[in-house]
Amino acid sequence: MYQDLSNLKRFYILFTLVLFAILIVRTGQLQLYQWDKYFRESEKNRIRDIIIEPLRGLIFDRNGEILVDNRPNYSVSVVPYEFLKADSAIILLSEILNQRPDALKKKINEDKRGNFSPVKINRQIDFKVLSAIEERRLDLPGVFYNTESRRYYPGGIKAPHLFGYLGEITSAELKKFKNANYKQGDSIGKNGIELQDEEYLRGTPGVKYIEVDVLGREVRNLTGLGGQSSDPGRNLFLTIDVAIQKYLEDVMADRKGAAVVLDPRNGEVLALMSKPDYDPEIFSNPLTPETWNQLVNHENKPLYNRASQSLFPPGSTYKLVLAAAGLETGDINLEENILCTGAHRLGNRLFHCWKKTGHGEVNFMAAVEQSCNVYFWEKSRDIGLEKWSEFSRNFQFGRPTKIDLPNESAGLVPTKEYFDRKYGEKKWTRGLVLNLVVGQGDLLTTPLQMAQFAMILGNEGVLFRPHLIKKNQDPLTGEVVFTKVDSIQIRGTSKKTYRTIKQGMNLVVNGVKGTAKSARIRGVTVCGKTGTAQNPHGNSHAWFIGFAPMDKPKIALCIMVENGGSGGAVAAPIAGGVLSIYFKK
């Protein structure tokens, strides 16, 4: 019996020693190896880190005039751990913000990423709300406000499809940019330059530390802990010319369409306009679901950028592609005359020229000057679909221009393989090709691509990538980084062919029978081509592409008025207005 008691005693002693050993090891682990981790956790009860929002970079025009600026605003945030445990604070803040308490709690619980991470619950609060929060600060544990900025547009132009807009970051975007230090409630570029150049414009957030009491109320700034000031985003200098942009926005105010104006010497975009549009200021204020739904569901699609996203048949402006192919292959002879009686017969079907009475006998120059359909239909028989497609691709149709804007469309250049896939081998007719060579049918382009085409013709084969950003600048150091200008030489078309086409385009504007006389301006030789693209859903689309002067052009452009009617009567005068503004400087 004594032996049993002795064994039991030894067991308890050993058991106690093991417990003490475990306790000592665990204490050592917590106090030594994981001290830093648990110290930081405990400090969260006393120290709150406040994120300092950076100033977003400004956007200027080519001459240094501010187009997009910032205005200070205040937002309200709460620390869930401190705020949600005080019912009186929830009720009080709900009254100040004019929200229901349950809605406020729901938003906090949906957006929170931890009990100690601040949740932004209201943006752009007015002075009355700000004053109320400041006056009742002691009754609002875990509530604080931050300074942030919102966009405004002092330059006198709207250009919403160019600038884009900001919005609150979504869960999907948070996941996508998980390494970029975004947090719930941050603003991020959603479209246009704001989206394309988010990494430059955003800046780097800073942080400061404050001490709070047991109720989460602010006690003092802890400057001794260091912190870090925010760094503003880089300023962007656009290639945009405000005078031309404003003219286009005004003259197209009650129309649908798009316009793109380029500097053919370097690809700089002087203007890019799309109508209808919207007031970018509406995205600077809290956007209601009703306003957003109105924009998204509007029949005229104001959010859509018609200049670089929308696809249209380009009408007779595209005859110049067949012209280049025919001149290069020798299928177009400048001395050859073709009789236009007002229609072209294909089997039992008549294809009518835009001039029902016919143009009479026309050679190449007269056909371009008067935009004779019959001449180009006749020549398409010799040139063929494959050559037309090849030259279309050479002129960069069917692919994005790589302009520095998001969501650009590629367009469509039909080929024999395309028609075989769509209709079946030998189940489509040459009538489809007749439509293509006059810029109709399945052919689709953007106004931006047509402006680029005008640049190529004016430069006799040299293409500079269209771009909107001239340079970006660090506002703190003044360091400037210029945009690298890319260029290529279009293959397959000779200088002789370009010069022949330019002579024809000169006649379009300055010839006796030219279709774009309204694009003339005094003292400058303007070259152009009109188009009137038939539209099965309404009136025809009016087009004009051109450049000036004829030699060493300084400006190239495309004007497209959706459902506008005749290119010569509607689009060409607008182009004349642009050219007058440019050459008066």
Side-chain angles (χ1 to χ4, degrees):
M1 182 175 178
Y2 289 114
Q3 183 62 39
D4 290 342
L5 288 174
S6 177
N7 288 341
L8 186 60
K9 182 179 180 183
R10 281 198 295 273
F11 170 77
Y12 279 119
I13 291 173
L14 181 62
F15 180 73
T16 304
L17 289 174
V18 170
L19 284 180
F20 270 105
I22 293 173
L23 185 61
I24 291 170
V25 170
R26 183 60 179 155
T27 303
Q29 183 184 22
L30 293 174
Q31 294 294 324
L32 298 176
Y33 294 104
Q34 295 184 309
W35 176 87
D36 187 54
K37 173 185 175 183
Y38 289 102
F39 176 75
R40 287 198 303 272
E41 290 297 318
S42 68
E43 286 294 277
K44 286 181 180 177
N45 292 325
R46 187 177 70 88
I47 299 174
R48 181 188 301 159
D49 53 335
I50 304 294
I51 301 299
I52 305 171
E53 303 285 349
L55 277 176
R56 197 167 175 86
L58 307 181
I59 300 177
F60 298 82
D61 81 339
R62 63 188 300 112
N63 298 313
E65 182 178 343
I66 295 182
L67 301 177
V68 183
D69 202 344
N70 297 315
R71 277 181 173 163
N73 268 277
Y74 294 98
S75 63
V76 182
S77 299
V78 302
V79 177
Y81 176 79
E82 298 162 353
F83 178 70
L84 292 178
K85 64 184 181 183
D87 289 340
S88 60
I90 296 173
I91 294 171
L92 176 57
L93 187 61
S94 300
E95 292 173 351
I96 293 174
L97 298 178
N98 194 25
Q99 295 182 15
R100 295 198 322 272
D102 56 341
L104 182 60
K105 289 172 66 175
K106 182 181 178 184
K107 176 172 177 55
I108 295 170
N109 287 319
E110 286 178 348
D111 292 350
K112 76 176 183 180
R113 293 293 183 272
N115 284 329
F116 294 99
S117 298
V119 177
K120 194 174 292 183
I121 56 172
N122 214 325
R123 321 177 80 103
Q124 298 181 26
I125 58 173
D126 57 29
F127 185 73
K128 180 181 176 184
V129 172
L130 181 68
S131 300
I133 292 175
E134 187 63 32
E135 288 172 5
R136 306 295 298 273
R137 176 184 286 269
L138 296 178
D139 301 318
L140 294 169
V143 178
F144 61 96
Y145 54 85
N146 265 341
T147 304
E148 58 183 21
S149 56
R150 73 178 179 90
R151 292 302 216 187
Y152 84 106
Y153 305 86
I157 61 173
K158 294 202 294 186
H161 300 98
L162 194 158
F163 298 142
Y165 57 87
L166 300 175
E168 188 168 326
I169 194 167
T170 64
S171 298
E173 289 167 332
L174 275 173
K175 188 178 295 183
K176 180 180 179 181
F177 302 113
K178 60 183 179 183
N179 297 323
N181 199 28
Y182 285 101
K183 63 184 185 308
Q184 195 73 38
D186 280 352
S187 293
I188 190 171
K190 296 287 187 178
N191 207 346
I193 289 171
E194 297 279 17
L195 168 60
Q196 185 78 14
D197 293 278
E198 168 72 16
E199 64 177 309
Y200 297 113
L201 290 168
R202 182 192 176 204
T204 306
V207 64
K208 69 176 182 180
Y209 301 100
I210 62 172
E211 182 179 359
V212 296
D213 63 16
V214 292
L215 295 177
R217 297 173 301 201
E218 183 176 331
V219 176
R220 62 188 173 108
N221 282 327
L222 298 173
T223 54
L225 293 183
Q228 184 177 350
S229 59
S230 60
D231 292 331
R234 296 180 76 90
N235 295 329
L236 298 183
F237 289 77
L238 306 188
T239 57
I240 291 297
D241 183 306
V242 168
I244 296 176
Q245 182 76 27
K246 188 169 190 319
Y247 165 76
L248 287 169
E249 290 186 1
D250 290 344
V251 77
M252 293 284 289
D254 299 323
R255 294 166 162 154
K256 292 189 292 184
V260 180
V261 184
L262 302 174
D263 185 334
R265 296 168 296 184
N266 49 31
E268 292 182 351
V269 179
L270 301 176
L272 187 147
M273 183 278 310
S274 175
K275 292 285 184 177
D277 57 9
Y278 53 90
D279 186 348
E281 292 276 359
I282 63 175
F283 287 97
S284 296
N285 300 307
L287 191 66
T288 64
E290 292 75 21
T291 302
W292 175 248
N293 289 333
Q294 284 176 5
L295 286 171
V296 171
N297 299 320
H298 197 287
E299 61 179 344
N300 288 329
K301 305 296 180 189
L303 291 175
Y304 215 58
N305 185 349
R306 284 169 162 77
S308 62
Q309 290 181 277
S310 295
L311 296 171
F312 302 91
S316 294
T317 56
Y318 210 81
K319 288 173 181 171
L320 300 177
V321 173
L322 188 79
L327 290 168
E328 283 298 320
T329 58
D331 290 315
I332 288 180
N333 181 340
L334 296 181
E335 304 303 321
E336 180 187 13
N337 286 327
I338 287 178
L339 178 63
C340 170
T341 59
H344 173 82
R345 178 174 293 279
L346 179 67
N348 296 324
R349 185 179 172 189
L350 281 179
F351 286 76
H352 292 282
C353 189
W354 68 269
K355 188 176 181 181
K356 297 288 178 62
T357 57
H359 290 96
E361 286 200 347
V362 291
N363 60 16
F364 173 78
M365 290 297 176
V368 174
E369 177 185 5
Q370 300 174 58
S371 198
C372 176
N373 289 354
V374 170
Y375 178 92
F376 287 95
W377 283 331
E378 288 288 339
K379 300 316 300 180
S380 70
R381 193 189 338 241
D382 303 323
I383 298 167
L385 175 59
E386 291 188 6
K387 273 294 173 193
W388 175 87
S389 300
E390 176 188 331
F391 274 75
S392 293
R393 299 292 295 182
N394 286 350
F395 286 122
Q396 308 298 299
F397 290 106
R399 66 190 72 177
T401 67
K402 298 182 181 179
I403 190 174
D404 41 359
L405 279 178
N407 307 318
E408 184 186 6
S409 297
L412 173 64
V413 175
T415 60
K416 177 179 178 299
E417 292 73 23
Y418 168 84
F419 284 136
D420 285 346
R421 284 195 304 272
K422 184 173 182 179
Y423 301 105
E425 289 187 31
K426 299 182 180 179
K427 292 183 179 177
W428 51 275
T429 68
R430 214 178 73 81
L432 296 174
V433 180
L434 296 187
N435 283 332
L436 294 180
V437 299
V438 295
Q440 298 280 170
D442 290 39
L443 173 68
L444 293 172
T445 66
T446 65
L448 173 61
Q449 288 175 323
M450 295 307 297
Q452 178 178 264
F453 182 44
M455 170 173 61
I456 294 170
L457 297 174
N459 282 348
E460 299 180 3
V462 178
L463 178 158
F464 293 96
R465 180 179 63 83
H467 57 280
L468 286 155
I469 307 298
K470 193 177 185 70
K471 60 184 179 182
N472 66 69
Q473 179 196 48
D474 187 324
L476 298 179
T477 66
E479 175 213 14
V480 172
V481 177
F482 286 89
T483 298
K484 181 183 177 185
V485 179
D486 304 320
S487 66
I488 61 171
Q489 176 71 46
I490 300 298
R491 57 188 171 85
T493 302
S494 65
K495 294 284 185 185
K496 180 181 178 183
T497 290
Y498 281 118
R499 287 165 189 163
T500 302
I501 291 174
K502 290 171 78 170
Q503 289 173 20
M505 294 177 72
N506 179 17
L507 291 173
V508 171
V509 178
N510 302 296
V512 176
K513 296 181 179 179
T515 57
K517 296 175 187 173
S518 53
R520 290 178 189 172
I521 59 170
R522 181 173 296 177
V524 180
T525 306
V526 178
C527 297
K529 183 70 189 79
T530 56
T532 305
Q534 294 176 356
N535 170 27
H537 306 295
N539 291 334
S540 300
H541 303 319
W543 287 85
F544 178 87
I545 65 169
F547 53 85
M550 185 172 179
D551 297 320
K552 298 180 179 178
K554 299 176 180 176
I555 183 171
L557 74 170
C558 169
I559 309 293
M560 192 281 295
V561 183
E562 195 173 327
N563 307 124
S566 163
V570 177
I574 296 174
V578 171
L579 296 168
S580 295
I581 292 172
Y582 182 84
F583 286 105
K584 278 181 182 176
K585 292 182 178 178

